[in-house]
Amino acid sequence: MPSSYAAAMVGQRFELKGRVAVVTGAGSGIGRATAELLAEAGATVTCADRDGDAVRRTADAIGAVAVELDVTDRAAVDALVAGAVEQFGRLDVMANIAGIVDWSPLLEMTDDHLDRLLSINFRGVLHGCQAAGRVMVAQGSGSIVNMSSAAIDHPGHGLGAYAISKAAVAQLTRSLAVEVASANVRVNAVLPGWILTEMTQARFTRPDGTVDEALRDKLLDAGRKSSPLGRVGTPEDIAAAVLYLASDASTFVTGQLLRANGGADMPW
Ligand SMILES: NC(=O)c1ccc[n+]([C@@H]2O[C@H](COP(=O)([O-])OP(=O)(O)OC[C@H]3O[C@@H](n4cnc5c(N)ncnc54)[C@H](O)[C@@H]3O)[C@@H](O)[C@H]2O)c1
């Protein structure tokens, strides 16, 4: 293959010019970095988050549309997708990234607590998959990318219910991939390892907003040691994995769980 042809292919495969994308959780961390990267790749992006100020900041910075919503609200997610289709005429990428972490030991988990976690982390992703999936099946193309977690590979103290919610996302991804494949719609998930974001920073931030530096160093050290690459991940590392799955670089990839974790799941 001539190298100029190959070079053109590299650009085209990752390019999202003319594509329409919706990103939930775009107000912070991985969702924000993903919205930025998809926009940089040329997509017209709609950013959604329950934190209105944060999502407007992201959207303003990249010339995107901002929508304040809670992903547990099915009607709001339906309206989010319908709004993008109405405004931009199609939907090519749905990145279901909004989520929360929870550190309750399973023996102490209450029903209310569990309902909240599953509503956001699982049902919120299901709402996005359903709303986007219906549009994409009718359209005959599209890519859905869900955010699962490396927590499904490593049972961890206090992360049991969180891991269960993310395992449900992984299974949803694989099952839906089978259901919509004949319509040329792909569904994949990213399983991030230890990523430094507002979510993980909250673990070493005191209620008054100050940082517990000793705890930060301990947690970051443990995060680095959990991966053969010897570092924690960045939101940009994960956004790049989402771009791959969202773009034509991955046209033959569906139902996959992409472990963007520095190799942490290996028995090394
Ligand atoms: N940071 C990590 O180490 C890590 C590792 C594995 C998986 N993940 C997953 O990646 C995703 C993003 O995590 P992050 O680290 O960027 O977290 P983050 O807290 O920085 O960002 C999450 C965003 O989701 C939004 N959100 C939360 N609940 C919502 C709801 N009900 N409706 C709408 N928006 C809501 C928040 O307002 C926030 O802007 C989450 O699903 C998380 O579980 C994170």
Side-chain angles (χ1 to χ4, degrees), residues 71-145:
V71 293
T72 64
D73 180 346
R74 174 189 285 282
V77 177
D78 285 348
L80 168 72
V81 167
V85 174
E86 198 180 329
Q87 202 171 349
F88 304 117
R90 52 186 298 110
L91 179 67
D92 302 290
V93 178
M94 180 78 194
N96 293 303
I97 298 178
I100 57 167
V101 73
D102 185 286
W103 288 97
S104 307
L106 285 167
L107 295 185
E108 290 161 27
M109 177 67 66
T110 64
D111 284 346
D112 284 351
H113 210 156
L114 183 62
D115 285 348
R116 177 166 179 270
L117 184 63
L118 291 178
S119 295
I120 297 173
N121 284 8
F122 173 63
R123 205 169 318 139
V125 173
L126 177 65
H127 292 159
C129 283
Q130 289 178 312
R134 289 180 189 125
V135 169
M136 290 173 175
V137 165
Q139 186 178 271
S141 66
S143 172
I144 297 173
V145 184

